[in-house]
Amino acid sequence: MMTQEPARVVVAQTQELRRAVWILAGGVGVRRAELGNNFKMPGRSSSNSGSTGFISFSGVESALSSLKNFQSCIDSGMDTVSSVAFDLVETQTEVSSEYSMDKAMVEFVIMNRELNHYVTAVQSAINHVKEERPEKIPDLKLLVEQKFLALQSKNSDADFQKNEKFVQFKQQLKELQKQYGLQAEREADGTEGFDEDMIVTQSQTNFICPITQLEMKKPVKNKVCGHTYEEEAIVRMIESKHKRKKKACCPKIGCSHTDMRMSDLIQDEALRRAIESHNKRKQHRHSE
């Protein structure tokens, strides 16, 4: 039986990553003192100020580059949250709300949004100085903060639907919960009284690839129409069509998606787990 320890670890790592991001972000905050009171923009005469120094953003841009690297850490964190959440469903392990993977995923989305806004704000402030070429250097730290707050003021719940990893997580988690017939999903979908085998049996048609007509081993989902296929089969089909300069249509009968691209495909981790779990139960029944 799985415990809530993996969930606790993920939540702790999420909090540590947030602290690390904003410690570095604080270092990126542009300060007037760091750039010097006297400066000369390229192409400007320094006769008035007597200064021969140039304003340099190399240090800030280097820190920005490091900050952007945290994007990969956030992506990895979201993948880990998904994996732990799916494991918890498979083992039907309950965890306290403190260690909720849903909350951890939301935290990552918020962190990602704030990181993007901060990077955008700093880049915008740098571009402002480069383009305006002010005689007197502005308070760049304040300028960054103003731009950051302006972006943050436009935050809305709709932002979550724009985060692809978050949307995939919610969809696949819901599908996996349905496969395992969890009580919360039964109540929400009006399926109280159905046992797990009945729910899985109803979903078995989703296990069959529309191309090979065989049970899938590595299912991928089409982000556009929502249909799933065996990865190797659909990739081969799309490549074949594109080599002949033709559009690839979704092979699911009745689907109106007529221009499939490789970028439309995402791994369907929840379905893969559901298929594997179904097969394990089937093998167990046969061995009894």
Side-chain angles (χ1 to χ4, degrees):
M1 173 63 70
M2 183 179 180
T3 68
Q4 67 177 11
E5 181 60 19
R8 187 194 66 77
V9 172
V10 168
V11 171
Q13 290 176 339
T14 303
Q15 294 169 347
E16 285 299 318
L17 180 59
R18 169 169 279 282
R19 281 193 286 269
V21 167
W22 292 113
I23 286 173
L24 181 55
V28 178
V30 188
R31 293 172 174 80
R32 176 173 177 162
E34 292 172 351
L35 299 176
N37 291 325
N38 296 316
F39 69 96
K40 182 183 76 171
M41 297 299 294
R44 282 272 175 100
S45 170
S46 59
S47 57
N48 293 334
S49 64
S51 170
T52 58
F54 286 83
I55 205 170
S56 174
F57 293 106
S58 60
V60 175
E61 290 170 343
S62 175
L64 262 183
S65 178
S66 297
L67 191 59
K68 290 176 184 178
N69 289 337
F70 273 97
Q71 182 63 60
S72 61
C73 297
I74 292 174
D75 288 342
S76 296
M78 295 177 85
D79 290 340
T80 300
V81 168
S82 294
S83 181
V84 171
F86 296 157
D87 285 343
L88 292 171
V89 172
E90 283 188 334
T91 56
Q92 300 194 23
T93 303
E94 294 185 5
V95 297
S96 64
S97 60
E98 180 183 3
Y99 303 131
S100 165
M101 291 298 95
D102 284 89
K103 289 182 179 179
M105 185 61 79
V106 168
E107 177 71 10
F108 271 116
V109 175
I110 292 173
M111 197 188 312
N112 180 69
R113 181 174 63 188
E114 290 180 353
L115 176 61
N116 288 333
H117 284 174
Y118 194 83
V119 169
T120 299
V122 174
Q123 290 174 328
S124 178
I126 291 174
N127 292 337
H128 172 79
V129 173
K130 288 180 177 179
E131 292 171 5
E132 296 295 325
R133 294 168 168 261
E135 289 292 342
K136 185 177 181 181
I137 186 171
D139 186 335
L140 295 182
K141 182 181 179 183
L142 178 60
L143 184 60
V144 168
E145 290 174 350
Q146 289 173 339
K147 291 180 177 295
F148 174 71
L149 290 175
L151 290 169
Q152 286 289 91
S153 68
K154 299 177 182 178
N155 289 346
S156 71
D157 291 343
D159 297 337
F160 290 85
Q161 298 306 314
K162 297 175 184 177
N163 188 295
E164 188 172 291
K165 280 185 176 291
F166 178 79
V167 172
Q168 291 175 21
F169 167 75
K170 297 297 287 185
Q171 290 177 344
Q172 295 187 358
L173 182 62
K174 184 176 181 179
E175 290 170 5
L176 194 62
Q177 288 172 331
K178 286 183 178 179
Q179 296 289 350
Y180 281 85
L182 295 187
Q183 186 63 32
E185 289 300 312
R186 292 178 192 166
E187 292 174 355
D189 299 326
T191 57
E192 296 90 334
F194 283 71
D195 63 23
E196 184 177 333
D197 287 339
M198 291 177 68
I199 292 175
V200 172
T201 299
Q202 290 177 338
S203 304
Q204 276 182 286
T205 54
N206 296 328
F207 296 172
I208 305 300
C209 172
I211 303 172
T212 65
Q213 293 302 307
L214 299 173
E215 186 175 86
M216 291 177 280
K217 295 181 179 179
K218 291 184 65 178
V220 291
K221 175 179 283 189
N222 188 322
K223 294 186 294 184
V224 178
C225 62
H227 294 129
T228 53
Y229 333 90
E230 180 64 48
E231 182 176 29
E232 183 179 352
I234 192 64
V235 167
R236 189 166 57 242
M237 189 199 84
I238 294 175
E239 288 179 342
S240 176
K241 291 285 187 180
H242 288 178
K243 282 180 181 178
R244 289 179 286 159
K245 308 298 182 182
K246 293 184 177 181
K247 292 182 178 181
C249 300
C250 174
K252 189 75 172 179
I253 296 175
C255 183
S256 60
H257 185 28
T258 58
D259 189 12
M260 286 187 64
R261 302 177 185 278
M262 292 295 189
S263 58
D264 294 338
L265 305 176
I266 57 174
Q267 296 293 324
D268 196 332
E269 178 67 11
L271 182 57
R272 183 189 67 78
R273 286 170 176 255
I275 293 172
E276 289 181 354
S277 178
H278 168 70
N279 288 334
K280 287 178 182 178
R281 288 197 300 273
K282 186 164 62 175
Q283 290 172 1
H284 179 70
R285 283 196 293 268
H286 288 166
S287 64
E288 290 179 345

